Amino acid sequence: MGLLWWGFVACLWGGIAVIGVIVYYGAQLPSSNTWAIPERPPNIRILAADGSLISNRGQTGGEAVTYRELPYYVPAAIIASEDRRFMSHFGVDPLGLISVAIEMVQARGVTRGASTITQQVAKNLFLTPDQTLGRKVQEAILAVWLEQNFTKEEILELYMNRVYFGAGATGIEAAAQTYFGVSARNLSLGQAAMLAGILPAPSAYNPKSSPERAIERQRLSLAAMARDGYITQEEAQAAQIDPDQTVRTRIAGSESYVADWVESLMTAYIGEIESDVVVQTTIDWKMQKDAEFIVKELVASEGPKRGFSQGALVAMDVDGTVRAMVGGVDYQASQYNRAVTAKRQPGSTFKPFVYLAAMEKGYTPDTLAEDAQFDYNGWSPRNASGKYAGTVTLRQGLAYSLNTVAARLAINVTPQAVVDVATRMGISSPLTAVPSIALGTQEVNLLELTSAYAPFANGGIGVIPNVITSIESKDGEVLYQASDAGPGRVVAPNILAEMNDMLETAVEVGTGRSANVGGWEFAGKTGTSQNARDALFVGYTSAMVTGVWLGNDNDTKTTLSGGNVPAAIWSQFMTKAHAGKTIAPIPGGSYEGQLVAQQVIDPATGQVAIDPATGQAMTQYVDASTGQPVQTATDPATGQLMRLDPATGQYVPASAAQAANQPIQTGQMVDPTTGMPVGTQVDPATGIPVGGNGGMLVDANGTQIDPTTGMPVGQVVGQAIDPVTGYPLQQQSTGVGQAPIDPNTGLPMVLVVDPATGQQVWVPSAPAQMQPPAGIGQQPVYQEPQRQRTLMDLIFGSGEN
């Protein structure tokens, strides 16, 4: 009786003490009428163009799912593993506490936790993870409150959507996607048991970091489910993974680079995200996987031999719609996005912007330039090969990536003009206006570089690269919808034709000749930075633009060039991407039908033929696409140049823009069989001149130019000005008087002899502006009057900018 009495007294005082502790720590909690379930951090569900899931982003890594959306064995696995009496206790499990206490006494140490699922929900929602008496008491109080205010299904749903499963996955949906690449709605019994087994120690038991432990934990979960009658022993045995087997978990692919990029754009698009959203992207899932496979394969096969370990690819439609992006060869190993975040030197892939600035200033693809070493204020650009071709056309200069030609152009048109053109085309990185910009020494990212080529492919319209089609709330409210707005026209149609003509040559006979797209007309440019630390190829068809970069993250040198592995990756990807598409030519990408004025070469002497009647160099017109002479005549009524149409036998108008692409000559003798200067050696492998430094500098009329002043030899600096027009008076040696002014350009016209008629005719001294096709509108204001000049003018003192 004494023992019973003192036992009763002890229990009474113990109860009073427990109540006191509960009251003490409960008083530290806010008033219960203020308790509310905090909102779950918002999830960003990112979908490909076909609706397939790319990834989930946000703090949780997955969206919330309801209890009733899941197979019955998913919650059953969690209950059996974590809290077998969940459905019967009131939030705290006294029997569980007693059994855990007995286990710890027997083991003389902590064996396992005694918290119920409800207590874990209370801890996750309201409390810190501190292991203190006060926190455990408050956890129990909150658990009882939860049980009084929510159903068992609601509490279990809260738990499954907010518990951490390791590897950055919070919630059952995030875990299912992270480990198995499936929705929690489609988990198998074995997968559900493995996820339940992770919960006691997410970092130690997850199948990515510890597959052996994950298999053991799965076995225990299945045994618990069979013990509690949720499944049979046979089902448990069938679902169990053999310990000798490898756990097949989902590997994050290159689409994760896209997901990271999309997540970084969200605040700019819709502001602060307060609830779950669904993002529809432009990514083509098949193209994305093809790009990933091709980049990985060629980096793996060629990287060890050529000394590189990383690659990136961006592919977009010609309107800037991004279809595929690879930011590296292994997202698991490195989440650094080399397509968007990394800025590297573009090398010669930047040169088209230099040439575009020159075309807008009046040069043409057939303008002649000197490929030779020079010094400009202490800067001496060199060709990568160490060889110099002497006199070349600008078409050859771009095709064979001659550094000295690009450098002379940049100096002539001014580096600031190059910066302006690159910015207008789509380069958004800050650029410094220095001459070396011509060689691609200033860093840009692959995304902006690729988008800057899009105007060449789409007819001259600027683009803004876009990966997001729409953003909606989980209730279907449209928060953002992509529009077609953009920069508008950034390249004039006639300039576009010249650029595409040169860039097609670059892939036909130049540094990019190893590229191919199976029957499609295409163009592009290679690029290799100093010591081959970066190797690029950016190319396009009328349907798509793709850029490829290869190199090392530590910026070490390689043995790459833009024309080998980058061009191979580009070709393989573009061939797959164009499968099934209707072949179409590049807009304005052909020089076909355009006329180029060319001096007539006397085959007997190899020198320019002189008309004995006028003393002028004889000129003929050739078809730029074939190089064959074209018969022309002058309409006596209008003075318009006409060309003979061989199909009809009739003379048709030859526009001033077509007929005025007269190249600046260098005064060298030309071999009529090769079209090259006499004495110039031609590389049989490339067809480009090698060696030599060019001849004396003369203008288009054969007048020798003083290289120190840029003026005709013997001419006094300063020229008479017409007081009526304000233009310089052009000196003519033919006795026919002052040159008339071309009304289209405002420049003096040039007197030439039409070889078909023997008549002297005035032709424009620079290409007239082509009118844009109907519906395009007026020429952009950036277009300057075109002036044909030698590349040496500015360097050696022409006085022009």
Side-chain angles (χ1 to χ4, degrees):
M1 290 297 293
L3 288 174
L4 289 175
W5 168 254
W6 286 111
F8 171 76
V9 171
C11 289
L12 180 62
W13 281 107
I16 293 172
V18 169
I19 293 172
V21 169
I22 293 173
V23 171
Y24 174 76
Y25 287 110
Q28 297 177 21
L29 291 170
S31 174
S32 61
N33 58 14
T34 65
W35 296 353
I37 302 298
E39 290 292 329
R40 185 174 184 267
N43 178 66
I44 304 170
R45 181 176 174 82
I46 303 170
L47 307 177
D50 63 358
S52 57
L53 178 67
I54 290 178
S55 185
N56 287 288
R57 285 295 186 268
Q59 295 182 33
T60 60
E63 61 188 318
V65 293
T66 64
Y67 178 92
R68 297 187 179 279
E69 288 181 278
L70 299 170
Y72 78 92
Y73 46 76
V74 174
I78 292 174
I79 292 172
S81 300
E82 289 292 290
D83 186 3
R84 62 186 299 190
R85 281 179 289 275
F86 170 74
M87 300 304 293
S88 59
H89 63 60
F90 57 90
V92 177
D93 183 9
L95 293 178
L97 288 172
I98 294 172
S99 65
V100 169
I102 293 172
E103 285 182 15
M104 289 193 295
V105 169
Q106 292 174 341
R108 296 184 180 182
V110 178
T111 56
R112 59 187 174 93
S115 295
T116 65
I117 286 176
T118 313
Q119 286 177 278
Q120 292 184 59
V121 171
K123 178 184 68 175
N124 292 338
L125 293 181
F126 303 109
L127 301 172
T128 65
D130 300 334
Q131 295 293 333
T132 63
L133 175 62
R135 205 271 297 159
K136 295 296 290 184
V137 170
Q138 291 175 339
E139 179 184 289
I141 294 170
L142 290 168
V144 174
W145 175 83
L146 285 170
E147 291 280 349
Q148 296 299 313
N149 290 276
F150 297 92
T151 67
K152 290 289 186 179
E153 286 187 1
E154 289 172 334
I155 293 171
L156 190 57
E157 186 177 299
L158 284 170
Y159 179 74
M160 290 189 294
N161 282 312
R162 304 195 185 215
V163 69
Y164 184 61
F165 283 87
T170 298
I172 190 72
E173 176 68 14
Q177 294 286 355
T178 298
Y179 295 121
F180 308 119
V182 300
S183 170
R185 304 169 182 87
N186 300 318
L187 284 169
S188 68
L189 173 58
Q191 291 169 337
M194 184 167 287
L195 292 182
I198 292 174
L199 293 172
S203 298
Y205 293 161
N206 78 72
K208 284 186 179 291
S209 62
S210 303
E212 297 83 5
R213 287 187 176 184
I215 292 174
E216 176 61 20
R217 293 297 305 175
Q218 182 203 47
R219 184 185 66 79
L220 294 175
S221 295
L222 289 169
M225 294 177 72
R227 175 200 66 201
D228 294 338
Y230 291 110
I231 58 175
T232 64
Q233 289 289 348
E234 291 75 17
E235 288 174 324
Q237 188 66 33
Q240 184 176 329
I241 294 177
D242 190 305
D244 296 330
Q245 292 181 337
T246 301
V247 181
R248 299 180 61 183
T249 58
R250 178 177 179 263
I251 302 297
S254 62
E255 68 277 3
S256 295
Y257 291 111
V258 177
D260 289 347
W261 179 36
V262 170
E263 183 180 15
S264 71
L265 297 173
M266 295 302 294
T267 303
Y269 277 58
I270 61 173
E272 195 68 30
I273 303 173
E274 298 179 351
S275 60
D276 289 4
V277 294
V278 179
V279 183
Q280 186 73 48
T281 72
T282 60
I283 296 298
D284 183 300
W285 187 254
K286 182 180 183 303
M287 287 188 192
Q288 179 68 33
K289 286 307 181 182
D290 285 342
E292 177 183 350
F293 176 80
I294 293 167
V295 170
K296 279 187 175 181
E297 284 293 299
L298 270 79
V299 171
S301 62
E302 297 292 330
K305 294 183 289 185
R306 298 181 182 271
F308 70 99
S309 60
Q310 279 296 344
L313 179 148
V314 173
M316 61 181 66
D317 292 343
V318 295
D319 63 356
T321 300
V322 177
R323 294 302 184 189
M325 172 184 288
V326 177
V329 296
D330 186 355
Y331 184 83
Q332 296 283 116
S334 171
Q335 290 79 52
Y336 184 61
N337 193 330
R338 297 153 189 85
V340 174
T341 307
K343 289 192 175 184
R344 305 293 292 247
Q345 290 186 356
S348 293
T349 56
F350 194 86
K351 288 178 181 174
F353 310 125
V354 179
Y355 281 76
L356 176 56
M359 295 301 108
E360 292 181 346
K361 197 167 184 179
Y363 295 105
T364 76
D366 298 292
T367 298
L368 298 179
E370 293 301 313
D371 176 30
Q373 296 184 31
F374 70 95
D375 181 271
Y376 179 78
N377 293 337
W379 180 54
S380 301
R382 301 288 187 266
N383 288 341
S385 65
K387 299 179 181 179
Y388 301 89
T391 303
V392 297
T393 65
L394 295 190
R395 182 185 290 104
Q396 291 172 316
L398 182 58
Y400 294 98
S401 212
L402 303 178
N403 287 343
T404 63
V405 175
R408 294 179 197 274
L409 275 178
I411 294 169
N412 196 335
V413 302
T414 74
Q416 185 58 52
V418 176
V419 170
D420 293 343
V421 165
T423 302
R424 187 206 318 150
M425 292 293 285
I427 298 296
S428 56
S429 294
L431 301 173
T432 304
V434 294
S436 62
I437 194 174
L439 308 186
T441 57
Q442 298 190 33
E443 296 176 342
V444 300
N445 67 50
L446 184 63
L447 175 67
E448 64 184 317
L449 181 64
T450 304
S451 67
Y453 272 64
F456 296 135
N458 67 21
I461 307 302
V463 305
I464 299 174
N466 176 50
V467 71
I468 297 177
T469 302
S470 65
I471 304 173
E472 296 182 358
S473 69
K474 60 183 179 182
D475 300 323
E477 178 188 358
V478 177
L479 305 176
Y480 167 81
Q481 187 71 45
S483 71
D484 296 330
R489 176 163 293 282
V490 295
V491 184
N494 58 320
I495 303 298
L496 178 71
E498 293 175 331
M499 289 304 303
N500 281 337
D501 168 57
M502 291 190 290
L503 288 169
E504 283 187 82
T505 303
V507 297
E508 290 170 356
V509 298
T511 56
R513 60 185 176 276
S514 63
N516 182 44
V517 195
W520 281 74
E521 181 182 336
F522 68 101
K525 187 70 188 75
T526 60
T528 310
S529 66
Q530 190 174 21
N531 293 324
R533 293 173 298 178
D534 306 275
L536 302 97
F537 185 84
V538 184
Y540 56 92
T541 66
S542 60
M544 182 167 285
V545 188
T546 296
V548 176
W549 168 87
L550 298 175
N552 293 309
D553 287 339
N554 60 4
D555 207 27
T556 53
K557 69 178 182 179
T558 72
T559 58
L560 286 165
S561 72
N564 48 47
V565 185
I569 291 175
W570 186 91
S571 299
Q572 289 187 30
F573 171 77
M574 290 287 273
T575 299
K576 286 181 175 291
H578 284 71
K581 295 181 182 290
T582 302
I583 293 178
I586 296 172
S590 175
Y591 234 36
E592 183 177 357
Q594 297 198 29
L595 299 186
V596 176
Q598 192 176 82
Q599 291 178 331
V600 178
I601 305 301
D602 186 340
T605 64
Q607 300 200 34
V608 177
I610 303 299
D611 186 339
T614 64
Q616 288 283 323
M618 295 181 66
T619 303
Q620 66 178 353
Y621 292 105
V622 299
D623 189 315
S625 62
T626 65
Q628 298 301 313
V630 175
Q631 186 173 339
T632 61
T634 302
D635 187 332
T638 64
Q640 183 179 13
L641 183 67
M642 310 292 286
R643 64 180 294 174
L644 182 67
D645 185 345
T648 63
Q650 302 293 318
Y651 279 93
V652 296
S655 70
Q658 290 175 325
N661 289 314
Q662 184 171 347
I664 302 300
Q665 303 296 325
T666 64
Q668 287 186 310
M669 293 188 296
V670 178
D671 185 337
T673 60
T674 66
M676 295 295 182
V678 173
T680 300
Q681 296 181 349
V682 177
D683 185 338
T686 65
I688 189 169
V690 294
N693 295 314
M696 66 181 180
L697 193 64
V698 302
D699 64 16
N701 295 320
T703 303
Q704 186 176 354
I705 300 297
D706 184 342
T708 62
T709 66
M711 303 296 290
V713 172
Q715 180 173 327
V716 179
V717 177
Q719 196 170 11
I721 302 296
D722 186 334
V724 177
T725 66
Y727 288 105
L729 295 176
Q730 182 169 337
Q731 301 298 321
Q732 298 290 333
S733 60
T734 61
V736 296
Q738 180 181 320
I741 300 300
D742 182 356
N744 293 324
T745 65
L747 298 175
M749 301 180 76
V750 176
L751 188 66
V752 299
V753 177
D754 189 330
T757 63
Q759 300 285 327
Q760 288 184 320
V761 294
W762 292 103
V763 298
S765 60
Q769 294 297 317
M770 291 179 63
Q771 294 301 314
I776 289 181
Q778 297 298 318
Q779 289 292 332
V781 296
Y782 62 78
Q783 187 69 43
E784 299 181 5
Q786 300 207 22
R787 301 180 293 277
Q788 283 205 319
R789 328 163 47 191
T790 65
L791 295 178
M792 316 297 277
D793 283 350
L794 182 66
I795 301 172
F796 296 111
S798 71
E800 296 186 39
N801 292 325

